[in-house]
Amino acid sequence: MPFHQLSKKIPKLTVLAFSIFISQLAIAETATATTEKQVVKDDSSLQALATIVVVGSSDKAGGDFVKQPLSASVITAQQIADSGVHKLDAALAYEAGVLAQPFGSDNKSQWFKIRGFDASQTLDGTALAPNGFFVWEPEIYGLERLEIVKGANSFNYGASQSGGNVNLVSKRPKLEPQGEINYSVGNLDKREIGADCSGVLADDARYRLVGLFRQGDGQQNGTNMDHYYVAPSFAWDLTDRTHFTLLTSFLKKDGVPTTGFLPLYGTVLDTPYGKINPKTNLGEPSRDYSKLEQTSVGYEFSHEFENGLIASQNFRWGRLDLDQLTTFAWGSDNDRLANRGYSYSNGTSDTYSVDNRLVKNFIFKDISNKVMIGLDYRNNKTDAVNNGFGFVPQIDMFNPVYTPDFAVTASPYNLKSKQLGIYLANQSNFNDLIDLNLGIRRDTAESTVENIKAYDVDHTSYNAGLMYHAPFGISPYVNYSTSFLPSTGKDGNNNFYKPYEGKQYEVGVKYLPEWIKGEITLAYFDLNEKNALVTDASNVQSQAGKRTNKGVEFQADLKLSDNLSTLLAYTHNDSKQDLNGGKNIRTPMIPNDQIAAKFSYLLTNSSLLNGLRFGAGVRYVGSTNDEQYYPGYKVGSYTLADAMLSYPLNKQLDVQLNAINLTDKKYVSACSFYCYYGAGRSVDMRVNYKW
């Protein structure tokens, strides 16, 4: 039976069989394990539990990113809190290889690129399956950490963007009771209250409850957004070898969305009337709205058998309910009037994801091996009405008078997609000197729109990495990886579009200094994507495109002393893309150079200011071009400064002050047909009580 036919029968049967298999084996060992647990109660075993279960990218990459032959990093919840940011894209601003918020300030969506390409997101190692405007919205207060894997890599999760993946790891129950409650205020009428409490129900059961309410205005006049978030979780150690974690969350957003789409005229290009004020709203603030409700229920299950075999299963169901109308400017008459359009979506999107893995460690002669075999499945169904673009009356860009009474129409948007993946990997270590990681994955993916087949593809992805652990903490490595992403639609010959295919070659070195705490990484990458859609002058799309980016990344994350920490990051991009006719241009929005640096210092020798911690950061983003639509015009570079100050009032209570874009610099972040103003100054003061 062909693979694409077999995939229609495998998912339900395989997932069910795998679940039954794990459950039966776990039950068979429960009595023995339980007896042992009753005889020996050792707190050290409980402490070990926290390190047994790892999720997402780090698990499939081999555990510790530092020791793996690939470019990856982790941003912790504490680092996010120290930065004072409230959005995922802003939390990535100091990461090498990441371009944060290229589309400017946005109160409804997350925007970032990795190595010059769009990047995917996963939640606790499960795919989120975005569909057009139905894109999962993370709440970073509910996250334990961010796991960032850079470059083309479909081994972990199947179909994914060429830029890489950010895995969102949810907060989960702690082994010891702890909690916090915080309140913060800021400019743009921002107010927030958050609570995070973890407790112990029994020796083998724990819970955690995270909640947040946030409200504030957007950068543009008349925009605002309210956030409501709650995330209960529960962990149960069925035995010393069997662990179950339930993860749930609910997010509601309601408000008037920002609409940062602007013409070149009045932003990059000067006019007789000056430039458009970044606060000017060229939408319809009395008509525009965004209502989002997002629910997630999932679990993580793992069992270690006596022979060392580890079986695990991650499952998640997510529902996204969206009702959104946004009005935006898309061009101008090169005088005072902006041409406008609207976008409208209303419906629900349900996604089921399951990932099953078997992992076994063994030693063959002097070679230690970690073999992993897995099967994952994803099913998404979106039922909605949608209109990606409708015309709206023009508006004066320099003295807007709103006309909210325009007609809104929509067409059915019913999409179904499935993906089944089977993967195999082995991580080998030779005498603690050489690491060799090899992985192969086979996917079948299909989709229908309005019951008409959009794509039906099979694809094989590869991943290979080699690292040598030299003396003095120096570890050079090489890596090769691939990715794919199906594309909906047909070309002019009525053939289905082929999937986007990413391929990356990387060579680098990681340095763990023996004389100081920290990590230094240097990497060169060659990343390309084929089968990308390109548009000609008649706005006709064809799959003749190719995008490439050859670049260098440097990042140093160092603790120079007990009091002083610093981070340095540099990225160089040489990003190109093809147009119809074989013309090769610089990729819009992607700067040639990015530089970021920040430090944090803790005072410990001052009787009055003991415990005071202050930090500062600087971000430089080089100039960009949109050579397809605005040849000859350049979007200038910009430099932003950030600052932080925190002080403990006592052992439990502290106050923190953050300023992002401290100087309130006015700048255009990028142009790609549309142009976008960057985020203005954000000042936030937070009082936090912990126990």
Side-chain angles (χ1 to χ4, degrees), residues 301-333:
F301 176 85
S302 70
H303 178 75
E304 182 178 3
F305 300 97
E306 291 186 347
N307 62 1
L309 177 69
I310 299 176
S312 62
Q313 183 180 83
N314 290 10
F315 171 83
R316 183 171 305 277
W317 166 76
R319 163 165 285 191
L320 197 156
D321 191 329
L322 178 67
D323 184 6
Q324 181 173 282
L325 173 67
T326 59
T327 312
F328 56 91
W330 58 268
S332 72
D333 65 352

mmCIF file of all heavy atoms in Angstrom, residues 301-333:
data_model
loop_
_atom_site.group_PDB
_atom_site.id
_atom_site.type_symbol
_atom_site.label_atom_id
_atom_site.label_comp_id
_atom_site.label_asym_id
_atom_site.label_seq_id
_atom_site.Cartn_x
_atom_site.Cartn_y
_atom_site.Cartn_z
ATOM 1 N N PHE A 301 3.230 12.339 28.940
ATOM 2 C CA PHE A 301 3.317 11.063 29.646
ATOM 3 C C PHE A 301 4.640 10.411 29.314
ATOM 4 O O PHE A 301 5.050 10.363 28.143
ATOM 5 C CB PHE A 301 2.161 10.145 29.232
ATOM 6 C CG PHE A 301 2.239 8.768 29.838
ATOM 7 C CD1 PHE A 301 1.735 8.520 31.101
ATOM 8 C CD2 PHE A 301 2.825 7.720 29.148
ATOM 9 C CE1 PHE A 301 1.812 7.255 31.662
ATOM 10 C CE2 PHE A 301 2.911 6.450 29.693
ATOM 11 C CZ PHE A 301 2.400 6.220 30.959
ATOM 12 N N SER A 302 5.331 9.902 30.325
ATOM 13 C CA SER A 302 6.586 9.202 30.089
ATOM 14 C C SER A 302 6.720 8.047 31.063
ATOM 15 O O SER A 302 6.246 8.115 32.209
ATOM 16 C CB SER A 302 7.793 10.141 30.222
ATOM 17 O OG SER A 302 7.993 10.525 31.546
ATOM 18 N N HIS A 303 7.346 6.997 30.585
ATOM 19 C CA HIS A 303 7.597 5.828 31.419
ATOM 20 C C HIS A 303 8.953 5.252 31.057
ATOM 21 O O HIS A 303 9.272 5.041 29.877
ATOM 22 C CB HIS A 303 6.519 4.761 31.230
ATOM 23 C CG HIS A 303 6.773 3.517 32.042
ATOM 24 N ND1 HIS A 303 6.565 3.462 33.398
ATOM 25 C CD2 HIS A 303 7.250 2.306 31.678
ATOM 26 C CE1 HIS A 303 6.886 2.254 33.841
ATOM 27 N NE2 HIS A 303 7.303 1.532 32.828
ATOM 28 N N GLU A 304 9.777 5.009 32.087
ATOM 29 C CA GLU A 304 11.082 4.385 31.900
ATOM 30 C C GLU A 304 11.007 2.945 32.379
ATOM 31 O O GLU A 304 10.721 2.673 33.549
ATOM 32 C CB GLU A 304 12.173 5.131 32.649
ATOM 33 C CG GLU A 304 13.557 4.544 32.445
ATOM 34 C CD GLU A 304 14.651 5.315 33.140
ATOM 35 O OE1 GLU A 304 14.324 6.301 33.837
ATOM 36 O OE2 GLU A 304 15.838 4.926 33.010
ATOM 37 N N PHE A 305 11.267 1.992 31.474
ATOM 38 C CA PHE A 305 11.247 0.582 31.820
ATOM 39 C C PHE A 305 12.549 0.185 32.504
ATOM 40 O O PHE A 305 13.543 0.909 32.469
ATOM 41 C CB PHE A 305 11.001 -0.255 30.561
ATOM 42 C CG PHE A 305 9.705 0.054 29.877
ATOM 43 C CD1 PHE A 305 9.656 0.919 28.794
ATOM 44 C CD2 PHE A 305 8.534 -0.492 30.330
ATOM 45 C CE1 PHE A 305 8.456 1.222 28.165
ATOM 46 C CE2 PHE A 305 7.323 -0.194 29.709
ATOM 47 C CZ PHE A 305 7.292 0.663 28.631
ATOM 48 N N GLU A 306 12.539 -0.972 33.118
ATOM 49 C CA GLU A 306 13.708 -1.414 33.870
ATOM 50 C C GLU A 306 14.919 -1.633 32.973
ATOM 51 O O GLU A 306 16.061 -1.572 33.434
ATOM 52 C CB GLU A 306 13.379 -2.694 34.635
ATOM 53 C CG GLU A 306 12.378 -2.472 35.776
ATOM 54 C CD GLU A 306 12.167 -3.716 36.602
ATOM 55 O OE1 GLU A 306 12.597 -4.798 36.154
ATOM 56 O OE2 GLU A 306 11.569 -3.632 37.694
ATOM 57 N N ASN A 307 14.691 -1.893 31.691
ATOM 58 C CA ASN A 307 15.810 -2.070 30.767
ATOM 59 C C ASN A 307 16.335 -0.741 30.215
ATOM 60 O O ASN A 307 17.219 -0.731 29.357
ATOM 61 C CB ASN A 307 15.411 -2.981 29.607
ATOM 62 C CG ASN A 307 14.273 -2.410 28.775
ATOM 63 O OD1 ASN A 307 13.776 -1.311 29.043
ATOM 64 N ND2 ASN A 307 13.843 -3.148 27.756
ATOM 65 N N GLY A 308 15.776 0.392 30.724
ATOM 66 C CA GLY A 308 16.243 1.702 30.306
ATOM 67 C C GLY A 308 15.480 2.306 29.157
ATOM 68 O O GLY A 308 15.704 3.473 28.819
ATOM 69 N N LEU A 309 14.575 1.558 28.535
ATOM 70 C CA LEU A 309 13.763 2.097 27.453
ATOM 71 C C LEU A 309 12.793 3.130 28.009
ATOM 72 O O LEU A 309 12.107 2.899 28.997
ATOM 73 C CB LEU A 309 12.988 0.972 26.765
ATOM 74 C CG LEU A 309 12.032 1.395 25.639
ATOM 75 C CD1 LEU A 309 12.823 1.907 24.433
ATOM 76 C CD2 LEU A 309 11.124 0.225 25.242
ATOM 77 N N ILE A 310 12.730 4.320 27.365
ATOM 78 C CA ILE A 310 11.830 5.395 27.775
ATOM 79 C C ILE A 310 10.781 5.599 26.686
ATOM 80 O O ILE A 310 11.105 5.845 25.524
ATOM 81 C CB ILE A 310 12.589 6.707 28.022
ATOM 82 C CG1 ILE A 310 13.624 6.523 29.141
ATOM 83 C CG2 ILE A 310 11.617 7.823 28.398
ATOM 84 C CD1 ILE A 310 14.486 7.751 29.373
ATOM 85 N N ALA A 311 9.526 5.467 27.059
ATOM 86 C CA ALA A 311 8.408 5.717 26.164
ATOM 87 C C ALA A 311 7.717 7.000 26.607
ATOM 88 O O ALA A 311 7.479 7.220 27.794
ATOM 89 C CB ALA A 311 7.426 4.552 26.185
ATOM 90 N N SER A 312 7.385 7.851 25.661
ATOM 91 C CA SER A 312 6.730 9.110 25.991
ATOM 92 C C SER A 312 5.689 9.450 24.943
ATOM 93 O O SER A 312 5.781 9.024 23.782
ATOM 94 C CB SER A 312 7.744 10.249 26.118
ATOM 95 O OG SER A 312 8.415 10.469 24.901
ATOM 96 N N GLN A 313 4.713 10.205 25.377
ATOM 97 C CA GLN A 313 3.655 10.666 24.487
ATOM 98 C C GLN A 313 3.244 12.064 24.898
ATOM 99 O O GLN A 313 2.949 12.319 26.066
ATOM 100 C CB GLN A 313 2.449 9.727 24.521
ATOM 101 C CG GLN A 313 1.337 10.136 23.555
ATOM 102 C CD GLN A 313 0.150 9.202 23.593
ATOM 103 O OE1 GLN A 313 -0.711 9.333 24.453
ATOM 104 N NE2 GLN A 313 0.103 8.245 22.657
ATOM 105 N N ASN A 314 3.230 12.977 23.933
ATOM 106 C CA ASN A 314 2.726 14.330 24.105
ATOM 107 C C ASN A 314 1.461 14.481 23.267
ATOM 108 O O ASN A 314 1.456 14.163 22.081
ATOM 109 C CB ASN A 314 3.756 15.371 23.656
ATOM 110 C CG ASN A 314 4.949 15.460 24.563
ATOM 111 O OD1 ASN A 314 5.127 14.635 25.447
ATOM 112 N ND2 ASN A 314 5.785 16.457 24.354
ATOM 113 N N PHE A 315 0.411 14.991 23.882
ATOM 114 C CA PHE A 315 -0.847 15.208 23.174
ATOM 115 C C PHE A 315 -1.354 16.610 23.482
ATOM 116 O O PHE A 315 -1.192 17.112 24.601
ATOM 117 C CB PHE A 315 -1.906 14.176 23.590
ATOM 118 C CG PHE A 315 -3.283 14.495 23.048
ATOM 119 C CD1 PHE A 315 -3.637 14.117 21.758
ATOM 120 C CD2 PHE A 315 -4.211 15.178 23.817
ATOM 121 C CE1 PHE A 315 -4.891 14.419 21.252
ATOM 122 C CE2 PHE A 315 -5.472 15.487 23.313
ATOM 123 C CZ PHE A 315 -5.811 15.099 22.024
ATOM 124 N N ARG A 316 -1.997 17.222 22.479
ATOM 125 C CA ARG A 316 -2.589 18.535 22.703
ATOM 126 C C ARG A 316 -3.774 18.749 21.766
ATOM 127 O O ARG A 316 -3.733 18.386 20.592
ATOM 128 C CB ARG A 316 -1.570 19.655 22.485
ATOM 129 C CG ARG A 316 -2.147 21.060 22.781
ATOM 130 C CD ARG A 316 -1.058 22.106 22.758
ATOM 131 N NE ARG A 316 0.019 21.794 23.652
ATOM 132 C CZ ARG A 316 0.004 22.061 24.958
ATOM 133 N NH1 ARG A 316 -1.037 22.648 25.503
ATOM 134 N NH2 ARG A 316 1.032 21.735 25.720
ATOM 135 N N TRP A 317 -4.835 19.308 22.357
ATOM 136 C CA TRP A 317 -5.950 19.835 21.589
ATOM 137 C C TRP A 317 -5.999 21.337 21.818
ATOM 138 O O TRP A 317 -5.921 21.807 22.941
ATOM 139 C CB TRP A 317 -7.283 19.213 22.023
ATOM 140 C CG TRP A 317 -8.471 19.982 21.490
ATOM 141 C CD1 TRP A 317 -8.957 19.964 20.216
ATOM 142 C CD2 TRP A 317 -9.304 20.888 22.209
ATOM 143 N NE1 TRP A 317 -10.039 20.785 20.095
ATOM 144 C CE2 TRP A 317 -10.294 21.379 21.304
ATOM 145 C CE3 TRP A 317 -9.327 21.341 23.536
ATOM 146 C CZ2 TRP A 317 -11.274 22.286 21.688
ATOM 147 C CZ3 TRP A 317 -10.309 22.253 23.916
ATOM 148 C CH2 TRP A 317 -11.267 22.716 22.998
ATOM 149 N N GLY A 318 -6.109 22.070 20.731
ATOM 150 C CA GLY A 318 -6.190 23.515 20.825
ATOM 151 C C GLY A 318 -7.312 24.045 19.962
ATOM 152 O O GLY A 318 -7.510 23.595 18.830
ATOM 153 N N ARG A 319 -8.052 24.978 20.484
ATOM 154 C CA ARG A 319 -9.112 25.648 19.733
ATOM 155 C C ARG A 319 -8.862 27.141 19.734
ATOM 156 O O ARG A 319 -8.583 27.738 20.778
ATOM 157 C CB ARG A 319 -10.485 25.332 20.295
ATOM 158 C CG ARG A 319 -11.580 26.314 19.809
ATOM 159 C CD ARG A 319 -12.973 25.837 20.061
ATOM 160 N NE ARG A 319 -13.344 24.764 19.113
ATOM 161 C CZ ARG A 319 -14.573 24.306 18.970
ATOM 162 N NH1 ARG A 319 -15.568 24.804 19.706
ATOM 163 N NH2 ARG A 319 -14.832 23.334 18.100
ATOM 164 N N LEU A 320 -8.978 27.748 18.566
ATOM 165 C CA LEU A 320 -8.834 29.181 18.403
ATOM 166 C C LEU A 320 -10.127 29.720 17.806
ATOM 167 O O LEU A 320 -10.523 29.319 16.714
ATOM 168 C CB LEU A 320 -7.627 29.480 17.514
ATOM 169 C CG LEU A 320 -7.050 30.896 17.522
ATOM 170 C CD1 LEU A 320 -5.593 30.854 17.094
ATOM 171 C CD2 LEU A 320 -7.833 31.786 16.571
ATOM 172 N N ASP A 321 -10.776 30.625 18.531
ATOM 173 C CA ASP A 321 -12.010 31.272 18.091
ATOM 174 C C ASP A 321 -11.693 32.737 17.821
ATOM 175 O O ASP A 321 -11.323 33.476 18.734
ATOM 176 C CB ASP A 321 -13.094 31.124 19.161
ATOM 177 C CG ASP A 321 -14.481 31.535 18.648
ATOM 178 O OD1 ASP A 321 -14.556 32.416 17.778
ATOM 179 O OD2 ASP A 321 -15.484 30.974 19.124
ATOM 180 N N LEU A 322 -11.826 33.156 16.561
ATOM 181 C CA LEU A 322 -11.401 34.493 16.146
ATOM 182 C C LEU A 322 -12.532 35.227 15.452
ATOM 183 O O LEU A 322 -13.212 34.682 14.577
ATOM 184 C CB LEU A 322 -10.197 34.403 15.208
ATOM 185 C CG LEU A 322 -9.658 35.718 14.638
ATOM 186 C CD1 LEU A 322 -9.048 36.578 15.739
ATOM 187 C CD2 LEU A 322 -8.635 35.458 13.544
ATOM 188 N N ASP A 323 -12.729 36.481 15.827
ATOM 189 C CA ASP A 323 -13.642 37.398 15.153
ATOM 190 C C ASP A 323 -12.908 38.727 15.039
ATOM 191 O O ASP A 323 -12.695 39.412 16.044
ATOM 192 C CB ASP A 323 -14.951 37.540 15.932
ATOM 193 C CG ASP A 323 -15.974 38.413 15.205
ATOM 194 O OD1 ASP A 323 -15.724 38.816 14.046
ATOM 195 O OD2 ASP A 323 -17.041 38.703 15.806
ATOM 196 N N GLN A 324 -12.498 39.102 13.824
ATOM 197 C CA GLN A 324 -11.583 40.239 13.671
ATOM 198 C C GLN A 324 -11.861 41.007 12.389
ATOM 199 O O GLN A 324 -12.023 40.434 11.315
ATOM 200 C CB GLN A 324 -10.138 39.733 13.675
ATOM 201 C CG GLN A 324 -9.069 40.801 13.550
ATOM 202 C CD GLN A 324 -7.688 40.217 13.741
ATOM 203 O OE1 GLN A 324 -7.242 39.946 14.853
ATOM 204 N NE2 GLN A 324 -6.988 40.002 12.632
ATOM 205 N N LEU A 325 -11.909 42.322 12.522
ATOM 206 C CA LEU A 325 -12.023 43.250 11.395
ATOM 207 C C LEU A 325 -10.948 44.313 11.554
ATOM 208 O O LEU A 325 -10.896 45.004 12.571
ATOM 209 C CB LEU A 325 -13.401 43.886 11.344
ATOM 210 C CG LEU A 325 -13.596 45.002 10.302
ATOM 211 C CD1 LEU A 325 -13.514 44.445 8.888
ATOM 212 C CD2 LEU A 325 -14.924 45.725 10.516
ATOM 213 N N THR A 326 -10.080 44.455 10.558
ATOM 214 C CA THR A 326 -9.031 45.466 10.602
ATOM 215 C C THR A 326 -9.032 46.255 9.302
ATOM 216 O O THR A 326 -9.168 45.692 8.207
ATOM 217 C CB THR A 326 -7.644 44.832 10.804
ATOM 218 O OG1 THR A 326 -7.368 43.907 9.737
ATOM 219 C CG2 THR A 326 -7.575 44.099 12.129
ATOM 220 N N THR A 327 -8.891 47.568 9.440
ATOM 221 C CA THR A 327 -8.798 48.472 8.308
ATOM 222 C C THR A 327 -7.382 49.025 8.247
ATOM 223 O O THR A 327 -6.801 49.367 9.278
ATOM 224 C CB THR A 327 -9.804 49.625 8.451
ATOM 225 O OG1 THR A 327 -11.095 49.102 8.781
ATOM 226 C CG2 THR A 327 -9.893 50.419 7.166
ATOM 227 N N PHE A 328 -6.821 49.140 7.052
ATOM 228 C CA PHE A 328 -5.419 49.516 6.942
ATOM 229 C C PHE A 328 -5.164 50.273 5.641
ATOM 230 O O PHE A 328 -5.925 50.172 4.669
ATOM 231 C CB PHE A 328 -4.521 48.278 6.992
ATOM 232 C CG PHE A 328 -4.857 47.243 5.955
ATOM 233 C CD1 PHE A 328 -4.247 47.246 4.718
ATOM 234 C CD2 PHE A 328 -5.806 46.263 6.224
ATOM 235 C CE1 PHE A 328 -4.562 46.301 3.755
ATOM 236 C CE2 PHE A 328 -6.134 45.310 5.268
ATOM 237 C CZ PHE A 328 -5.516 45.331 4.049
ATOM 238 N N ALA A 329 -4.079 51.037 5.626
ATOM 239 C CA ALA A 329 -3.634 51.753 4.432
ATOM 240 C C ALA A 329 -2.665 50.879 3.647
ATOM 241 O O ALA A 329 -1.827 50.194 4.235
ATOM 242 C CB ALA A 329 -2.959 53.067 4.829
ATOM 243 N N TRP A 330 -2.781 50.909 2.328
ATOM 244 C CA TRP A 330 -1.887 50.099 1.510
ATOM 245 C C TRP A 330 -1.189 50.893 0.404
ATOM 246 O O TRP A 330 -0.325 50.368 -0.292
ATOM 247 C CB TRP A 330 -2.647 48.928 0.884
ATOM 248 C CG TRP A 330 -3.819 49.311 0.023
ATOM 249 C CD1 TRP A 330 -5.115 49.449 0.407
ATOM 250 C CD2 TRP A 330 -3.799 49.575 -1.380
ATOM 251 N NE1 TRP A 330 -5.910 49.799 -0.658
ATOM 252 C CE2 TRP A 330 -5.124 49.874 -1.779
ATOM 253 C CE3 TRP A 330 -2.794 49.596 -2.350
ATOM 254 C CZ2 TRP A 330 -5.466 50.204 -3.078
ATOM 255 C CZ3 TRP A 330 -3.131 49.901 -3.661
ATOM 256 C CH2 TRP A 330 -4.466 50.203 -4.009
ATOM 257 N N GLY A 331 -1.507 52.126 0.254
ATOM 258 C CA GLY A 331 -0.862 52.956 -0.748
ATOM 259 C C GLY A 331 -1.326 54.393 -0.611
ATOM 260 O O GLY A 331 -2.059 54.746 0.325
ATOM 261 N N SER A 332 -0.901 55.254 -1.513
ATOM 262 C CA SER A 332 -1.265 56.668 -1.435
ATOM 263 C C SER A 332 -1.382 57.253 -2.835
ATOM 264 O O SER A 332 -0.955 56.645 -3.823
ATOM 265 C CB SER A 332 -0.231 57.453 -0.625
ATOM 266 O OG SER A 332 0.970 57.596 -1.370
ATOM 267 N N ASP A 333 -1.946 58.453 -2.880
ATOM 268 C CA ASP A 333 -2.018 59.191 -4.144
ATOM 269 C C ASP A 333 -0.822 60.112 -4.313
ATOM 270 O O ASP A 333 -0.810 60.961 -5.217
ATOM 271 C CB ASP A 333 -3.315 59.988 -4.223
ATOM 272 C CG ASP A 333 -3.390 61.100 -3.163
ATOM 273 O OD1 ASP A 333 -2.513 61.152 -2.270
ATOM 274 O OD2 ASP A 333 -4.337 61.904 -3.235
#
